[in-house]
Structures are given as C-alpha cells and as structure tokens.
Amino acid sequence: MATVQAEPYEFEFDPATTALMIIDMQRDFVDPGGFGEALGNDVSLLRKAIAPTKQVLDAARRRGLVVIHTREGHRADLSDLPLNKKVRGRLKTGIGDKGPMGRILVRGEYGHDIIDELKPASGEPVVDKPGKGAFHATDLDAMLHNKGIRRLVVCGVTTEVCVNTTVREANDRGYDCLVLEDCVGSYFPEFQAAALKMIKAQGGIFGWVSDSTRFLEALGKA
Ligand code: C5J
C-alpha cells in the first residue's frame, strides 16, 4: 500500500488495483482554435493541467498502472445525442455542426480526439462517452471490474462538469477517487475551487484531493 498526503486525510492505494483516469483532454476543449475557445473561453486555464498530467501519465506507465482515457462525443449520425443536450445553450454552432476542428464533439473528427501531448499509448483503453459522467452509457464499470480496479486517480477537464460527474458516479459504484488539483482544469476559476472543495467536503463525501507532486512522491515509494 502507498500513502498520498491528501485532503481531507491521507489516501491509501495499491498500484495493482488503482487506475489513472484522464478525462476528456480533447482538442475541442483544450487547444487554441477549438470549440471551447470559439465559445469565448480562455483555454490557457485548461492547458495548465497538461504538463503535470503528462508527468503523472509517464510515471503511471512506468509503474504499470492501468491507464484509461475518456472522450466526450457522439456517433456521426447523432443517434446517441439527447435532444436536451443538442439544444442546450441555444448555440448557433453546436454539437454535430461543423466547427473549427471538424464536426463538434463527433467521434472520428480531429477536434474530438485527445491532444497530442497526452495521446493514449497502444493498449490503453479509450472510453467514448456520450454524457458528462464516464460511467453513463459506457462499459467503463465492467472494464474496471474485470481489471480488479478499486481506486481511481483522476485528471482532466472540466473540473466541475465531467470530472465531478465521473467522480460522483465512481463513488456510488464503490471506487475511491483521488483528484489531482493541478491536473484538472476549468474555464472558470471559481468553479475549479468550488468543485474541488465539494469533493473533499464533509470528510471526503465524494473522494480525496491532492496534487501531482504528492501523488508522484507516493508512487515513487510504492
Ligand atoms: C467536460 C463539458 N468534459 N464541460 N465537458 O467537462 O461539457
């Protein structure tokens, strides 16, 4: 067992039963010129998470942790896109429409794919999810169960939407989650702070929060 200094208290994990999950580090959310920026967001707030996440990813690969990536997106025919998600925001250019990097959040399009810096290695599962949570309408739970995973170390974007939703879903399914605060990002600093506070509130109601330095230190000793 390894121990990470975390909040609200230390997080204990066995590398053999712990997976690194990197959520939605897709060009359309993170890269300049993508959908996120086209909506008026400052992508540098998300890009801050790339370098520490890359360090965690490299260390996890060296240590042999299970690594899982997710992408938010839809089938080309949009048959898995609920009407409420399609119309929400009253956007002129929304999901399925032609955006700056191909059809927005459609699988197979350039903008939908994971950024080059965090490209999945061969053999690392990529979970394509139509919703915000990575467990909704995916085989993630079965995959984790089959690999004997009990704990998740979570990185990705955005902290208050897909990261938070996934952590809540995971918690309800019995997985302990450690969120690395410098490896998650939000377009809204106030949401970043609040979303992290929510996870570790009330004795860790949804999980634990630490940072990449403390996690890497613990992994190095494991
Ligand atoms: C994610 C979103 N990945 N904010 N999506 O958080 O719509």
Side-chain angles (χ1 to χ4, degrees):
M1 276 302 213
T3 304
V4 187
Q5 291 314 309
E7 291 175 83
Y9 55 89
E10 66 278 5
F11 177 83
E12 298 196 323
F13 72 101
D14 173 358
T17 58
T18 302
L20 172 65
M21 275 202 66
I22 304 183
I23 297 182
D24 299 0
M25 290 299 282
Q26 295 162 252
R27 296 187 180 111
D28 255 335
F29 294 130
V30 175
D31 272 354
F35 177 50
E37 193 174 74
L39 291 176
N41 296 302
D42 175 3
V43 292
S44 72
L45 293 165
L46 268 49
R47 297 188 66 76
K48 282 195 294 196
I50 298 173
T53 301
K54 175 82 172 97
Q55 283 197 312
V56 169
L57 176 60
D58 289 344
R61 283 173 177 159
R62 280 196 301 273
R63 188 63 180 75
L65 258 66
V66 168
V67 176
I68 296 177
H69 307 258
T70 73
R71 298 183 294 207
E72 179 176 353
H74 298 275
R75 294 171 181 268
D77 63 4
L78 304 183
S79 55
D80 59 351
L81 174 62
L83 182 62
N84 71 336
K85 189 173 178 185
K86 172 72 185 155
V87 302
R88 184 77 46 77
R90 298 177 174 172
L91 303 175
K92 266 217 312 264
T93 309
I95 297 172
D97 298 332
K98 181 132 187 45
M101 293 185 177
R103 290 180 70 203
I104 294 165
L105 294 190
V106 169
R107 294 175 195 160
E109 299 288 334
Y110 184 76
H112 169 264
D113 210 356
I114 293 170
I115 57 173
D116 294 337
E117 297 91 324
L118 300 174
K119 203 178 164 61
S122 118
E124 289 173 358
V126 178
V127 174
D128 278 317
K129 60 190 191 56
K132 304 305 180 191
F135 288 84
H136 170 67
T138 72
D139 55 5
L140 175 62
D141 196 28
M143 200 186 297
L144 295 173
H145 178 82
N146 293 337
K147 289 177 183 292
I149 298 297
R150 302 304 319 144
R151 291 179 181 78
L152 304 176
V153 175
V154 183
C155 303
V157 299
T158 61
T159 315
E160 76 278 17
V161 184
C162 291
V163 170
N164 233 269
T165 307
T166 298
V167 166
R168 289 167 191 238
E169 287 181 334
N171 182 59
D172 280 347
R173 287 166 176 78
Y175 302 97
D176 282 335
C177 293
L178 174 69
V179 177
L180 301 180
E181 62 186 4
D182 53 334
C183 298
V184 294
S186 168
Y187 300 124
F188 307 99
E190 68 275 28
F191 293 168
Q192 168 86 357
L196 291 169
K197 266 189 199 164
M198 282 178 202
I199 290 165
K200 63 189 177 188
Q202 299 179 65
I205 195 157
F206 302 123
W208 285 256
V209 175
S210 187
D211 60 33
S212 61
T213 308
R214 287 185 288 181
F215 174 67
L216 290 171
E217 201 177 283
L219 191 62
K221 290 184 192 155

